[in-house]
Amino acid sequence: MKKVMVIVTGTQRGEDGSETVVETRAQGAYYERDGSHYLLYQEPGEDGGVPCRNRLKLTGSTLELTRRGEGSSHMIFEPGRTHAADYATPFGSLKMDVSARWVESSLQEDVLEIRADYFLTSQDSLVSDCLLHIRAEGCGA
């Protein structure tokens, strides 16, 4: 397991064309096992609340994100497929569908980059159109 700097940038586009960009930087850990790449990192909780532990698993072009904490969720980003996801909030669970258009990744030098273009729907209505960019620095030897 290697210590890495994880930078996660999420862009959400609303139906009205507005964009919201959120960036998180955190120390984390990287390892590779059985052909899959794993990133582990922690985000601070909202308003000083309970931190959220995150695990990213990349296998080929399929990305899984598991979050544990106040906003627990398990999301699968697989191009051309739709996966159901329960998104837990302090106010209850939201049922969402995650549909990935594409997932791309590269590991060069000591940097792992993952990009996913996807959209979220709930009850057949678009919630948001999203782009996720993950950069992990320090993955090399």
Side-chain angles (χ1 to χ4, degrees):
M1 194 169 302
K2 298 172 184 167
K3 290 183 180 181
V4 294
M5 171 57 73
V6 180
I7 304 157
V8 179
T9 306
T11 304
Q12 295 182 336
R13 296 174 294 270
E15 287 184 334
D16 63 357
S18 64
E19 281 192 355
T20 303
V21 178
V22 176
E23 184 174 283
T24 301
R25 292 174 176 265
Q27 292 292 325
Y30 165 82
Y31 63 97
E32 190 176 347
R33 181 182 306 150
D34 298 327
S36 295
H37 300 271
Y38 293 85
L39 286 172
L40 309 172
Y41 65 97
Q42 189 167 293
E43 293 178 69
E46 289 187 33
D47 299 323
V50 177
C52 187
R53 295 182 324 264
N54 298 298
R55 182 188 81 159
L56 288 163
K57 177 184 178 186
L58 176 67
T59 306
S61 63
T62 300
L63 177 66
E64 289 184 60
L65 170 61
T66 304
R67 297 171 53 93
R68 303 239 184 266
E70 285 182 351
S72 296
S73 65
H74 180 242
M75 301 169 80
I76 300 173
F77 307 90
E78 184 178 6
R81 301 244 354 239
T82 297
H83 292 274
D86 284 329
Y87 195 87
T89 72
F91 310 105
S93 182
L94 299 172
K95 298 217 178 284
M96 302 272 214
D97 289 319
V98 179
S99 301
R101 291 180 188 95
W102 50 263
V103 175
E104 299 174 344
S105 64
S106 67
L107 178 59
Q108 296 180 9
E109 303 283 324
D110 70 339
V111 177
L112 173 64
E113 290 208 60
I114 305 167
R115 294 179 191 269
D117 186 300
Y118 66 99
F119 57 95
L120 298 173
T121 55
S122 180
Q123 299 177 349
D124 296 324
S125 294
L126 180 68
V127 174
S128 63
D129 195 350
C130 308
L131 182 62
L132 180 64
H133 178 212
I134 300 132
R135 180 179 173 92
E137 300 171 350
C139 298

